[in-house]
Amino acid sequence: MDFSPVLLILILLCGAAHALEDNRCWWKATLCEIKDPATGSLVCFFANQAVSGGMEKQQLSNKVDPIIKSLEDQPVDTKNINYFGFPYGLRIDLGCDNKLDAMTAMKTGLFTGLTPLVILTIGQPVHPTIIKPQNLDITMTAAPLQDGGLCENELCNFGWYVPFPILNGSVVYRIQIISNGLGMGVVDKSYSINVNGLITTQGEENPNSGFGTMGYQFKEMLSLSHPSRPIWPTSKHAPVMIIPGIPGSKAVIFTASEFKNSILIEMGIKSCWVGSYSCPQETFDGKIQEAIIMENTVIIRQNQLLHRFLGNYSILPLKAKSSGAWEEVMRTVCVRKMVPIPTVHGGKEFFYVLGGGINYGSVYRADIEDGDITFSELQDSKGRSVCRFMSEHFKTPIKLCIIRSVSQRGDKKQSDIVVAKFMYSTYDWTYFVMIHDKDFHVRGRLPTFIPEDRGDSFIVADNLKPQSDRFVIINGIEYNPYSRIIYFWGSTLLCSLDEGQTFLFVRGFDVEESSIQFIKYFRFSYHGEFFFVTTLEQVWWGQEGMDRVAPLRPSLGWSTFQSLQMLKGQDISYRMQMSLLTVFWDANKNLQEVVYIEQENRVVKREIPVAEISSYSVFTLAPPQILVYRSHNTFKFPSICPFHWEQLEDLPQPEQYTRIQQYVARPPLIAAPLGLQTVASLATYQGLVHHLLKLHTEYVQDIGDPAQTPIARLWKGKEKFQDYYFYVASNGLSSSGFNIEMDVFSAITAHPDITFPDEIYLDLRGSYTFSIYTSAGVPSDVTREMIKNIWLSAEVSDNDAIHVQVTREELFNRAAVLHKVRISDIGAFPGQALAGEGLMPFTMRLKMSNSDIKCFQQTNLGIESQGVQRMTVYIGCPSGKRLAFDISKTVAECTRLNKRYFDCPNPSVVPCFYYEDLFYPFFLIQDMVLGDSGPFLGSYTLKVVGGGPYSRDNIRYYTQEEILLFNSINYGAMQSLIWTYQEQTQPANRTKEGFTVLTRTQNNIRWICQKNSPCGDLVAQGLMAPDYYFIIEVSNKGVDLSTYCDYALRFEIHVHGFPLAPSRALSFFLISLATICALIFCYIAFHCCGPVFKTMGKAAYEAARQQYEVQRGSDISMNMDDRLHYY
């Protein structure tokens, strides 16, 4: 027996034990382009800092197809399916504090069972085009693979690999790398790797060179003296980020990986604005002042000109053609400023343009849908602009009207919020808040002066009592459509909870410095937090609904955090001089900063740990207590948090509420001793993952069948041979050397580890329940007063939409309090909608009393804040639900109730029914996220919307007028109905259009096909009765009060055995009767009058013969007389 692998494992484990004892390791991801799976050709990026970090190729490859089709002894379809692979894969490695120990750690992890798991989250597109939009996660087990090249042993250079799936319609991807729980502990990591369709950075070819030019070093254009600037991507949908505003240059900092990798690109803009009389310009600067990044489009402003570039995204359903060069837009408008809208509304992206020069006081809105962009000026129904409306509304002379900022309200009307400054003189002005839908509506007037900070809660704005001489100056507004809160920022920070009617000053921001420091930019996390950066490059943080903000940098907490980072030595950037480039929220809602390190000539992304910095600030300010004992003195730092710790309990399984479809995939089982995969097995792995996701996107069958799920269709009837495939693989008889396990591809419907979700979706009257267990400390040290001071409050953004019920239970024996929370929908969603469309978001916040920025807890992930739980609640029809025709139940009930089974003479895939039988349709509600289905118990209308006789090729769809004629009882007098409800126990309800409302118990349909209907006069072709194919539409919209979902469904059925139309049957009867009568008459006449006719015939014959003889004799005598006379 060969003991070399065992000895190698023992040597490596013993030798690495001491080296890895104090070595911290984490997962690293490298994006690799798959050139040719047959040869194992891989080109890996990310190690090169001169790339964007994103995926730049979007075309699938069919080079895995011959590899998979050669697997005759594996459970794959080698004849009917074409397999494709992805353009990219991921290489997973270990990064350690000591780089020399990284490979040793990887080998140790391989031998101890350590395997990385990659959770890929695929983002939703702005405008979903599939019928059933869904969120999607797929957990893939990484496969160890030996890299090519010369090696002294077979483990000298290996890595873990997984496919990187891309789906049509999605350009934003997030990966999380976790461990499988075996071997050494490794820190989890998350990365954003998106699709870059703007410029190619990973090769020599550059088809999108019109976007810009690469090749510049950071030190050539960046300086430590440059100020920070905001980035404006569309939240959750922008695949790239751009930092503009580099002085004296048209360059920007570009990334497709949230600045894990970034490059300098000089924009390929050829035109420059030099100013004019109608659009004056005081100074000229060639820099890119502003940049708005959307899902497929980038808009930049240089001076007073706007330029647009549409990326080359072949996986998006774009209506416009991708740009070859920058295109100038709004040429006739002098642009002063752009205002971004980070959220998406109604499948569209928005931004605003503020006019300058001759267009001063004008506001323009840009709507972007599938690459098309349209601009419109905000005017009322009378054609008046904001400034003209206000001037006429108040009838007051205005010296100057300045539009300070605009925001999108996010309602169905897509109305706008406008803040305008009206100057009556140099030192007399007023800010007004207005709502614009079709007209302008004045909401309120902002205060003029900043009040004194009294140290209590929010400071209510009062325009009647000036309390200081510091003016309120507004530079911008931010509106959160989820929480319905507006923040006004500039020389101070105000908020409004009622969209501009009343205002509250937020405490904490030093108003004494308002004359020298202003808020420069402000951003929401859309998870209950926000930050802003000042003109002095200070970073501040706050929570929505909290009465004060706190400085993050500079602060005592930041100084402590920075000192600890220097002592740890894990990030040397904290020891070097740097300049702040920007601050943003990443995809995980963590606050990040991007800094320029001049000494190393690189741009670095660093997390700003809000909870950790805040805890250091609280700890620094808390005075210690000195305790005197007989033997010694000691001190301790008292806790200012009202409780000791808290945890969430009784959390339900998340899939039903988060609506995230989750799949699991693992590589083939390899027979090699070390478990290293081969190129063929890795190619098979990515081909099967692609086929599974392809089946997922195609899972919109109209006829419900459990055998049609993506997992079931992946193996296509191979399940019954599963034991055979296992036997072949376990005995080493597989020709490929690996075995595809059918059980490792599955859909997750239950999780062992349940966490509190960030977002949930509720249908009509739906609810979400859980509990919060809060401990006050050790029972022996806790008093009743301490327990009674633990209270939980609930806040929602709209009390008319969602309701939160909190039940409090005191557990004195455990020194704890148990709060049971129930979040419910109360039926405020207007009407019904398709699955995943028109959802209305609201925010819910649970807060322990007196816990704001006071309660923290050390966890495996670091220091985290306690006392506050936030959630976004969407009401409407959750995604992933659909209505399906239950063919099995329908056939069974039709057979039972009609007391006979019928199928067409020539069966096909279309279900067939007999014309004379009653039709009893049944339907299913299928939840594609949970993978289950149940009977549809609601009300619905059924309409025949298309059809054709004899063959499916003759099917046509009816017009709206024809649908009414063929289905509505209101048009019964027209004799055009195709079907009717067969009343048995009670009559059915009807809509005002005359459509019959059916239910699961009232579904008796009788085919009648009246004379003016399309199936009313069918002629048989051959000896078989006529057939007709019907397209049936089922909808519960407007008739079902049990759900927000508009379950729209169309399916096809085949009806056989049509009788003749009454008129045609009567004509056939009369013709047949006439024919029979004629035959009978002839028969009777022949038998009754035959002898008479025979005698008469003979007499006539004799008479004719005699006449003939007489005539003949006469002719002979005349001839004789003539001869005699001649002679």
Side-chain angles (χ1 to χ4, degrees):
M1 182 180 295
D2 186 9
F3 290 96
S4 56
V6 179
L7 292 175
L8 178 61
I9 293 173
L10 292 176
I11 292 173
L12 286 172
L13 292 179
C14 294
H18 178 71
L20 299 176
E21 183 177 358
D22 298 323
N23 196 13
R24 186 182 69 100
C25 296
W26 61 90
W27 295 114
K28 296 195 311 180
T30 306
L31 188 65
C32 301
E33 182 182 346
I34 302 174
K35 294 292 188 179
D36 189 354
T39 61
S41 176
L42 298 172
V43 179
C44 294
F45 304 99
F46 267 27
N48 182 8
Q49 291 293 326
V51 296
S52 67
M55 297 176 286
E56 298 173 1
K57 295 184 181 298
Q58 305 167 43
Q59 292 77 25
L60 300 175
S61 170
N62 61 354
K63 294 183 178 180
V64 303
D65 187 62
I67 297 177
I68 299 179
K69 287 187 175 179
S70 66
L71 306 176
E72 296 291 342
D73 54 358
Q74 299 287 348
V76 294
D77 190 343
T78 60
K79 297 180 179 178
N80 303 315
I81 297 176
N82 294 322
Y83 294 93
F84 291 87
F86 304 106
Y88 292 96
L90 277 181
R91 175 189 167 109
I92 311 299
D93 296 284
L94 281 175
C96 300
D97 293 333
N98 187 347
K99 295 183 179 180
L100 297 178
D101 292 333
M103 183 52 65
T104 303
M106 291 181 63
K107 295 176 182 178
T108 304
L110 178 65
F111 295 137
T112 55
L114 175 66
T115 303
L117 305 178
V118 177
I119 303 174
L120 176 68
T121 300
I122 301 175
Q124 277 283 351
V126 170
H127 184 205
T129 56
I130 61 174
I131 301 176
K132 307 291 190 293
Q134 296 182 75
N135 297 320
L136 179 63
D137 282 1
I138 178 169
T139 302
M140 297 173 289
T141 301
L145 178 68
Q146 173 66 48
D147 289 344
L150 298 176
C151 271
E152 55 186 12
N153 60 70
E154 56 182 325
L155 289 178
C156 68
N157 186 22
F158 84 96
W160 287 282
Y161 288 86
V162 293
F164 198 111
I166 59 174
L167 288 182
N168 283 337
S170 298
V171 294
V172 176
Y173 298 84
R174 185 81 176 175
I175 63 169
Q176 183 183 11
I177 309 174
I178 62 176
S179 303
N180 63 341
L182 301 177
M184 59 186 293
V186 182
V187 179
D188 300 343
K189 282 290 185 180
S190 295
Y191 301 97
S192 285
I193 305 177
N194 304 324
V195 179
N196 169 21
L198 297 171
I199 187 169
T200 300
T201 64
Q202 298 170 357
E204 296 181 358
E205 297 181 359
N206 188 8
N208 287 334
S209 59
F211 183 81
T213 306
M214 301 182 303
Y216 298 96
Q217 298 292 324
F218 290 117
K219 62 183 179 182
E220 298 176 8
M221 297 185 180
L222 298 182
S223 171
L224 295 179
S225 60
H226 291 170
S228 69
R229 42 274 197 197
I231 57 175
W232 292 342
T234 300
S235 178
K236 299 181 182 181
H237 298 285
V240 303
M241 292 183 178
I242 293 176
I243 302 178
I246 299 178
S249 171
K250 293 191 294 184
V252 297
I253 302 175
F254 181 93
T255 180
S257 56
E258 288 189 348
F259 296 101
K260 186 181 186 300
N261 292 77
S262 52
I263 56 175
L264 269 175
I265 297 179
E266 186 177 37
M267 296 298 195
I269 302 173
K270 299 180 181 180
S271 61
C272 290
W273 184 260
V274 295
S276 66
Y277 179 77
S278 61
C279 190
Q281 182 176 337
E282 296 180 359
T283 60
F284 172 78
D285 192 348
K287 71 178 181 181
I288 307 299
Q289 279 91 349
E290 298 163 343
I292 297 178
I293 306 96
M294 287 159 283
E295 183 182 44
N296 49 57
T297 305
V298 177
I299 305 290
I300 63 173
R301 180 177 71 88
Q302 184 192 37
N303 299 311
Q304 286 123 319
L305 292 181
L306 291 188
H307 299 269
R308 167 187 181 241
F309 194 94
L310 178 61
N312 181 20
Y313 291 100
S314 60
I315 59 177
L316 291 179
L318 300 181
K319 299 177 181 177
K321 185 179 179 181
S322 60
S323 302
W326 286 95
E327 174 191 0
E328 187 179 340
V329 294
M330 297 191 74
R331 298 183 176 214
T332 59
V333 176
C334 178
V335 178
R336 176 170 60 93
K337 183 182 178 182
M338 290 195 300
V339 181
I341 301 298
T343 55
V344 173
H345 307 291
K348 295 181 181 181
E349 297 170 285
F350 301 89
F351 70 92
Y352 293 90
V353 176
L354 306 184
I358 195 174
N359 303 109
Y360 208 87
S362 299
V363 184
Y364 304 87
R365 187 177 74 182
D367 298 37
I368 299 95
E369 182 179 9
D370 296 337
D372 278 348
I373 182 169
T374 57
F375 294 94
S376 58
E377 185 177 357
L378 297 191
Q379 295 179 342
D380 63 6
S381 57
K382 298 180 180 180
R384 297 177 297 181
S385 65
V386 179
C387 296
R388 182 182 170 190
F389 163 78
M390 289 298 294
S391 177
E392 296 180 3
H393 179 75
F394 287 102
K395 299 180 180 179
T396 303
I398 299 175
K399 181 180 179 180
L400 183 63
C401 172
I402 305 173
I403 307 300
R404 298 308 302 168
S405 190
V406 196
S407 187
Q408 175 65 246
R409 201 177 182 188
D411 54 2
K412 288 191 174 181
K413 296 181 180 179
Q414 295 181 350
S415 52
D416 317 283
I417 303 174
V418 183
V419 175
K421 179 180 180 180
F422 300 95
M423 299 189 65
Y424 311 106
S425 64
T426 305
Y427 300 101
D428 184 13
W429 65 77
T430 304
Y431 292 97
F432 284 97
V433 180
M434 287 161 287
I435 300 293
H436 172 262
D437 39 35
K438 293 182 179 179
D439 291 291
F440 292 104
H441 310 279
V442 179
R443 297 287 291 182
R445 186 179 68 175
L446 275 80
T448 305
F449 297 97
I450 303 174
E452 299 291 343
D453 189 350
R454 304 185 188 92
D456 51 4
S457 184
F458 283 109
I459 306 172
V460 180
D462 189 356
N463 282 309
L464 301 178
K465 299 177 181 179
Q467 300 171 1
S468 70
D469 57 355
R470 291 183 295 272
F471 287 102
V472 171
I473 299 176
I474 302 300
N475 289 334
I477 66 170
E478 290 290 332
Y479 176 73
N480 189 339
Y482 305 154
S483 61
R484 305 330 193 244
I485 296 180
I486 308 178
Y487 278 89
F488 305 84
W489 48 271
S491 61
T492 185
L493 184 64
L494 299 91
C495 70
S496 176
L497 306 180
D498 51 13
E499 296 183 336
Q501 289 183 315
T502 59
F503 307 93
L504 302 172
F505 283 91
V506 182
R507 299 167 49 235
F509 184 53
D510 193 357
V511 296
E512 295 294 337
E513 296 182 358
S514 61
S515 59
I516 61 174
Q517 171 170 250
F518 290 81
I519 298 176
K520 187 163 56 172
Y521 53 94
F522 179 107
R523 284 293 171 268
F524 282 118
S525 70
Y526 298 101
H527 190 55
E529 300 175 276
F530 61 84
F531 78 88
F532 59 84
V533 178
T534 69
T535 51
L536 298 181
E537 305 300 345
Q538 296 181 5
V539 182
W540 292 67
W541 169 87
Q543 294 180 344
E544 296 180 34
M546 193 172 66
D547 63 336
R548 72 164 45 243
V549 292
L552 291 178
R553 195 185 67 188
S555 66
L556 293 175
W558 173 262
S559 300
T560 304
F561 171 75
Q562 189 176 25
S563 300
L564 289 175
Q565 298 304 310
M566 293 180 183
L567 288 175
K568 293 177 182 179
Q570 296 174 359
D571 190 346
I572 61 174
S573 65
Y574 289 96
R575 299 176 178 269
M576 301 178 181
Q577 284 189 326
M578 62 85 187
S579 67
L580 180 66
L581 295 178
T582 192
V583 182
F584 69 98
W585 298 101
D586 66 7
N588 290 333
K589 307 304 181 186
N590 296 322
L591 191 60
Q592 306 282 348
E593 66 173 356
V594 182
V595 298
Y596 169 58
I597 309 295
E598 187 177 45
Q599 186 175 344
E600 295 187 345
N601 185 32
R602 65 190 181 106
V603 170
V604 179
K605 180 184 72 171
R606 306 186 305 196
E607 182 180 356
I608 303 179
V610 175
E612 185 174 355
I613 294 173
S614 301
S615 67
Y616 294 154
S617 297
V618 172
F619 179 80
T620 305
L621 295 175
Q625 293 180 352
I626 300 177
L627 304 178
V628 180
Y629 298 94
R630 290 183 179 180
S631 59
H632 66 282
N633 297 339
T634 186
F635 67 92
K636 71 174 183 178
F637 291 90
S639 174
I640 61 175
C641 182
F643 58 89
H644 189 57
W645 56 269
E646 69 174 2
Q647 71 178 26
L648 300 177
E649 298 180 346
D650 304 324
L651 291 169
Q653 287 291 336
E655 286 79 14
Q656 179 180 353
Y657 299 97
T658 60
R659 313 307 301 167
I660 298 178
Q661 175 72 66
Q662 302 193 37
Y663 291 106
V664 174
R666 286 175 53 188
L669 183 64
I670 204 74
L674 295 178
L676 296 178
Q677 297 283 332
T678 63
V679 174
S681 65
L682 196 60
T684 302
Y685 188 18
Q686 68 164 321
L688 291 177
V689 170
H690 171 266
H691 189 53
L692 172 62
L693 297 181
K694 180 176 180 291
L695 294 175
H696 166 82
T697 58
E698 294 175 349
Y699 185 41
V700 290
Q701 306 295 326
D702 296 327
I703 298 178
D705 187 353
Q708 294 298 317
T709 63
I711 296 297
R713 294 167 62 203
L714 179 65
W715 306 118
K716 250 190 137 149
K718 301 284 185 177
E719 297 93 339
K720 56 186 177 182
F721 304 112
Q722 186 172 2
D723 294 337
Y724 165 74
Y725 294 124
F726 177 76
Y727 170 79
V728 171
S730 59
N731 288 275
L733 302 177
S734 175
S735 60
S736 59
F738 58 86
N739 176 43
I740 300 174
E741 299 178 284
M742 301 169 64
D743 295 335
V744 300
F745 286 83
S746 61
I748 303 177
T749 56
H751 281 273
D753 299 326
I754 305 175
T755 58
F756 189 70
D758 295 334
E759 300 175 348
I760 63 171
Y761 297 80
L762 296 180
D763 200 351
L764 179 63
R765 309 297 177 186
S767 62
Y768 180 86
T769 59
F770 62 97
S771 302
I772 301 179
Y773 182 89
T774 309
S775 173
V778 181
S780 59
D781 299 334
V782 176
T783 64
R784 282 181 173 265
E785 287 298 322
M786 296 172 65
I787 296 178
K788 290 183 177 297
N789 289 332
I790 300 176
W791 287 91
L792 181 69
S793 63
E795 300 175 6
V796 296
S797 58
D798 192 341
N799 292 321
D800 296 329
I802 56 176
H803 175 70
V804 180
Q805 179 182 0
V806 179
T807 304
R808 185 175 184 271
E809 181 181 356
E810 296 179 347
L811 307 175
F812 290 104
N813 59 335
R814 301 182 188 177
V817 177
L818 181 66
H819 291 94
K820 296 181 178 180
V821 183
R822 181 184 182 90
I823 306 169
S824 305
D825 168 74
I826 59 177
F829 187 82
Q832 292 172 296
L834 298 177
E837 294 187 6
L839 297 169
M840 296 176 61
F842 302 93
T843 57
M844 186 277 306
R845 187 175 76 141
L846 299 173
K847 184 175 74 69
M848 288 292 176
S849 57
N850 299 320
S851 63
D852 289 335
I853 323 181
K854 295 179 181 178
C855 301
F856 305 94
Q857 184 176 1
Q858 181 71 45
T859 67
N860 295 332
L861 302 176
I863 298 177
E864 296 183 352
S865 61
Q866 289 192 110
V868 178
Q869 305 294 337
R870 308 180 190 91
M871 175 186 289
T872 302
V873 181
Y874 290 90
I875 66 171
C877 182
S879 62
K881 286 188 175 183
R882 71 185 186 105
L883 185 69
F885 180 40
D886 190 353
I887 180 61
S888 301
K889 178 72 173 177
T890 300
V891 171
E893 288 300 302
C894 288
T895 302
R896 184 179 67 85
L897 297 174
N898 291 310
K899 296 182 172 34
R900 62 176 170 183
Y901 173 77
F902 175 80
D903 198 2
C904 284
N906 299 313
S908 64
V909 294
V910 181
C912 187
F913 302 93
Y914 187 48
Y915 177 85
E916 296 294 338
D917 291 344
L918 289 178
F919 178 52
Y920 301 92
F922 290 88
F923 302 94
L924 294 171
I925 292 296
Q926 292 191 330
D927 194 323
M928 294 182 284
V929 175
L930 300 180
D932 60 5
S933 61
F936 175 61
L937 304 177
S939 302
Y940 61 92
T941 58
L942 184 146
K943 291 173 281 188
V944 178
V945 297
Y950 312 123
S951 171
R952 300 177 68 186
D953 298 333
N954 299 325
I955 292 178
R956 73 173 182 89
Y957 285 91
Y958 305 144
T959 63
Q960 291 298 323
E961 293 77 10
E962 289 176 325
I963 292 175
L964 286 172
L965 288 174
F966 301 156
N967 298 273
S968 174
I969 199 68
N970 295 344
Y971 296 87
M974 304 293 292
Q975 291 292 305
S976 59
L977 293 179
I978 294 178
W979 64 277
T980 186
Y981 171 69
Q982 183 75 29
E983 297 182 2
Q984 292 184 352
T985 59
Q986 56 184 351
N989 296 324
R990 292 185 175 90
T991 65
K992 63 180 181 180
E993 295 87 0
F995 297 122
T996 304
V997 179
L998 304 176
T999 64
R1000 186 174 176 84
T1001 58
Q1002 291 181 300
N1003 60 343
N1004 318 309
I1005 292 178
R1006 170 73 68 185
W1007 305 109
I1008 56 175
C1009 286
Q1010 295 179 340
K1011 65 178 182 179
N1012 293 325
S1013 67
C1015 57
D1017 188 12
L1018 296 180
V1019 179
Q1021 293 183 341
L1023 299 178
M1024 303 297 295
D1027 298 74
Y1028 206 92
Y1029 292 84
F1030 290 113
I1031 303 296
I1032 295 179
E1033 179 181 272
V1034 173
S1035 174
N1036 69 332
K1037 189 170 185 179
V1039 297
D1040 186 11
L1041 303 180
S1042 64
T1043 179
Y1044 287 140
C1045 293
D1046 174 13
Y1047 292 126
L1049 168 68
R1050 284 186 178 182
F1051 61 96
E1052 180 182 345
I1053 64 171
H1054 180 193
V1055 179
H1056 177 74
F1058 279 77
L1060 292 174
S1063 58
R1064 188 177 295 274
L1066 179 61
S1067 63
F1068 284 175
F1069 171 75
L1070 294 177
I1071 293 173
S1072 300
L1073 181 62
T1075 303
I1076 293 173
C1077 291
L1079 292 175
I1080 293 174
F1081 175 78
C1082 293
Y1083 178 82
I1084 295 174
F1086 178 76
H1087 284 278
C1088 295
C1089 303
V1092 176
F1093 288 131
K1094 185 177 182 181
T1095 304
M1096 293 175 63
K1098 287 182 177 181
Y1101 174 76
E1102 289 295 332
R1105 188 175 65 82
Q1106 291 178 2
Q1107 185 178 2
Y1108 174 75
E1109 292 293 337
V1110 172
Q1111 183 68 29
R1112 186 170 177 272
S1114 175
D1115 291 340
I1116 293 173
S1117 62
M1118 289 178 66
N1119 290 334
M1120 291 296 295
D1121 293 339
D1122 291 339
R1123 284 198 297 266
L1124 291 175
H1125 178 72
Y1126 178 76
Y1127 288 112

